[in-house]
Amino acid sequence: MAGRLFAQPDSFGVKAWTLFANEAGVRDTITFKTCLDDTATLDRVRQDATAGRTLGVTGTPYLLINDRLFQGSPGLSHLNQYVDALLIQRETDRARGGM
């Protein structure tokens, strides 16, 4: 779905989201439409957008892991190294009696 959306950004607001979903191969378009129509979904999107603006996010992709904000695509190997280091630090902290 993300690939389909990024390929057609000029169609946002013009083309129905369910058409994007169909083109992307979303099988359960009924559940997809139900999710779109749910006000809780819109509230969550607004919360995320507000949080992004607070962090200075100006576009996509951005990725937040703990207190580190990645702009653009840092690459899978870089992300794996970063997450592995966080996991090692967490285990070290636990072994020392911290959290």
Side-chain angles (χ1 to χ4, degrees), residues 36-48:
L36 283 176
D37 293 341
D38 186 348
T39 58
T41 303
L42 181 57
D43 289 343
R44 180 60 195 255
V45 170
R46 286 181 176 150
Q47 289 172 4
D48 286 352

Side-chain angles (χ1 to χ4, degrees), residues 9-42:
D10 57 328
S11 296
F12 294 178
V14 177
K15 184 177 185 177
W17 294 109
T18 51
L19 288 177
F20 284 111
N22 282 329
E23 292 172 0
V26 173
R27 291 188 181 116
D28 188 353
T29 55
I30 293 170
T31 300
F32 180 84
K33 176 99 171 77
T34 300
C35 179
L36 283 176
D37 293 341
D38 186 348
T39 58
T41 303
L42 181 57

Side-chain angles (χ1 to χ4, degrees), residues 66 82-99:
N66 289 351
Y82 183 72
V83 170
D84 287 346
L86 288 174
L87 293 172
I88 290 168
Q89 183 62 50
R90 182 177 70 181
E91 290 304 314
T92 301
D93 291 346
R94 283 185 180 166
R96 290 181 180 158
M99 293 275 285

